[in-house]
Amino acid sequence: MAPTPKNLVTRLSKRGPNPVLHGDLALAGLPGSVYTPAEGFSLPAVVFGHGWMTSAARYRETMIHLASWGIVAAVPDTQRSPVASHLALAADLRSAADIVAGVRLGPGMISVAADRVAFAGHGMGGGAAVIAAADHGAPAVAAVFPAPTAPPAEVFAARQGGPALVLAPARDLDSMNCNARAIAEAWGGQAILRSVDKASASGLLEGRALLGAFGLGKSERGTQRVTRALLTGYLLYHLTGDTQYAPFATPDVEIPHTTLVPEAADEDQTSHLLG
């Protein structure tokens, strides 16, 4: 019997079976970190963009989580200033993709398949991931609680025909700091828009933030567990083809602790029919 979405979320919210190695992207000329399973050839990978004024270190456990499930995870540690360039961060994500796919990692026992590299990110990094993936032919894109970028990520979303998972924070879904709905509606291919119950835009961040006592940048363990499960399952399905994880890539499947968000056009039509 195939596992239920509830069972899959429970399983994937915990670390996977692989020991994890940590490396420094700076050795290849790009500040940042890379996390890998202890061994494996032609592995899937994801390059991950960090949020505004946030370091790669605040996603350490999320990257380790992905690597423990067999996915190489690289996160550049650039564009951390208040006036960060979203285009430059997108370029750094593409550079990280080239690095992990172009060199042997670890002690030479780890390699990545160039056609199995996804783009993902959180907040500002979610928008940068959308920009980076445009015209790249990425097998999957995941924007986690994306924030507006300049130029708008929606413009780049419209140019993409591959699949996308767009996660929105339930508490901030329609705030000025979240453009998850706009990205999903503009996406040229299949986009799944889910809100994570009780999540705020900064909930994925790990550790203590300078303004955490005031509720800004506060870490949310529940948000992290659910988001890691969603991201892991989605990437495993699209990057490895493992069909047991298909629920994470199917638009109409109900996933525990999340809510499917209808497109605005669907909501307008529903209102018209009910009126």
Side-chain angles (χ1 to χ4, degrees), residues 208-227:
R208 299 182 63 181
L210 182 63
L211 299 178
F214 300 95
L216 301 175
K218 188 176 180 180
S219 178
E220 298 170 357
R221 293 193 177 183
T223 296
Q224 292 162 13
R225 285 194 296 269
V226 175
T227 302

Side-chain angles (χ1 to χ4, degrees), residues 45-145:
V46 61
V47 291
F48 192 92
H50 63 75
W52 181 63
M53 290 188 67
T54 301
S55 72
R58 298 203 68 188
Y59 303 94
R60 179 179 181 274
E61 293 301 318
T62 297
M63 299 301 105
I64 290 175
H65 185 93
L66 291 168
S68 75
W69 282 100
I71 302 169
V72 172
V75 51
D77 199 22
T78 61
Q79 299 303 317
R80 293 171 51 186
S81 77
V83 290
S85 166
H86 304 136
L87 286 176
L89 181 56
D92 290 338
L93 291 176
R94 287 192 291 267
S95 295
D98 292 339
I99 291 170
V100 297
V103 301
R104 285 286 179 93
L105 303 173
M109 297 298 294
I110 304 162
S111 69
V112 167
D115 60 349
R116 301 169 76 189
V117 181
F119 289 88
H122 170 238
M124 171 187 82
V130 173
I131 296 171
D135 304 321
H136 194 277
V141 178
V144 181
F145 310 161

